[in-house]
Amino acid sequence: METMLKKMLNCDKVSIIASIPENRMDLAQAAIDAGVDGLKFHINVSHRASGNEFKDVEHYFETFEEVRRKFSGPIGLVIGDEIEKVLGVNTKQLKDLGFNYYSLYAKDIGSKMLLQNDLERTVAVNDKFCFEQVRIIESFNIQAVELSIVRKEDYGHPLNFEDLITYKSYRDNTKLPLIVPSQKNLVPDDMVMLQEIGINAIMLGAVTIGSTVESIFETISRFTKK
């Protein structure tokens, strides 16, 4: 059975996921109106790019329920930035709220999260994760890899050829779908090159889309109309 996440990641074009900088319905609606293929939210996280502190899931019940009513595509969730926080999360509750998958750094995924079947699994790898290691992820029940490999000092800079070579090195070492987050300040033309090297989706976050209704709608629209 092809799930919503797999359908999005296996289509012919580069899919567009919006990482919403705050858990607010108006910001999510702006991304939906701009035509995104998927959404991602956060809980239990101190988020570097947006500067926001995300609380536990109970603070956002109404928002998440409303998002699910208004959006039919896959919705993901970063459920913590430390393994201790992640292990305390009820994945059945998240599934009931309408989430389809989790997004976590490899260091924050314990055995419990690998064994659960409520949510599909995407894993983020950082710049210390070598190309060859990514192939080993295929041995586990992981649906996609997020290439969060940009060093902190390079956040917000334009995507360059060196970045493309690095992404392609990961592409050549795994058959799993690959997601590139906008740690670099992505522009619509970057999608052409990312598709050419085999990237399945880009994840547009605060670095690229900003944090207002207007900036989110206007920026994402430029990508979806490309």
Side-chain angles (χ1 to χ4, degrees), residues 57-58 61 89-99 118:
V57 68
E58 285 78 10
F61 275 166
V89 170
N90 182 336
T91 55
K92 175 64 165 57
Q93 181 185 57
L94 300 180
K95 179 181 179 180
D96 291 343
L97 282 170
F99 288 101
D118 298 312

Side-chain angles (χ1 to χ4, degrees), residues 47-221:
H47 193 246
R48 179 192 300 169
S50 68
N52 289 323
E53 293 284 337
F54 292 91
K55 301 177 181 179
D56 59 36
V57 68
E58 285 78 10
H59 287 83
Y60 310 112
F61 275 166
E62 292 184 7
T63 297
F64 290 153
E65 288 171 343
E66 187 175 3
V67 170
R68 181 73 283 176
R69 288 195 299 270
K70 294 187 175 181
F71 183 64
S72 60
I75 305 176
L77 186 67
V78 178
I79 54 182
D81 54 8
E82 297 175 3
I83 192 168
E84 292 80 9
K85 297 178 184 178
V86 171
L87 290 173
V89 170
N90 182 336
T91 55
K92 175 64 165 57
Q93 181 185 57
L94 300 180
K95 179 181 179 180
D96 291 343
L97 282 170
F99 288 101
N100 305 100
Y101 69 97
Y102 68 65
S103 173
L104 288 168
Y105 278 97
K107 69 177 182 61
D108 298 325
I109 301 176
S111 296
K112 174 184 175 182
M113 297 308 297
L114 292 171
L115 292 169
Q116 62 81 39
N117 291 309
D118 298 312
L119 304 174
E120 292 187 275
R121 308 155 182 83
T122 70
V123 59
V125 297
N126 61 23
D127 62 310
K128 298 178 177 63
F129 205 92
C130 69
F131 309 140
E132 294 80 5
Q133 282 181 295
V134 75
R135 185 180 295 117
I136 299 171
I137 297 174
E138 296 176 9
S139 301
F140 299 88
N141 188 13
I142 300 291
Q143 280 67 56
V145 178
E146 181 181 328
L147 299 178
S148 298
I149 57 176
V150 174
R151 295 171 299 181
K152 182 178 180 181
E153 58 267 28
D154 293 330
Y155 268 38
H157 294 178
L159 187 77
N160 59 43
F161 187 36
E162 185 177 9
D163 298 318
L164 292 170
I165 293 170
T166 303
Y167 292 143
K168 185 66 163 62
S169 298
Y170 284 95
R171 174 73 288 162
D172 289 350
N173 277 280
T174 184
K175 298 176 183 176
L176 288 171
L178 295 179
I179 301 167
V180 168
S182 62
Q183 296 171 310
K184 287 297 187 81
N185 186 15
L186 299 179
V187 297
D189 282 345
D190 293 329
M191 290 181 61
V192 178
M193 295 309 305
L194 290 171
Q195 178 157 359
E196 187 170 310
I197 65 173
I199 298 302
N200 301 87
I202 59 171
M203 184 177 294
L204 301 178
V207 168
T208 295
I209 64 176
S211 58
T212 68
V213 168
E214 294 76 18
S215 67
I216 290 171
F217 176 79
E218 291 172 6
T219 306
I220 294 176
S221 293

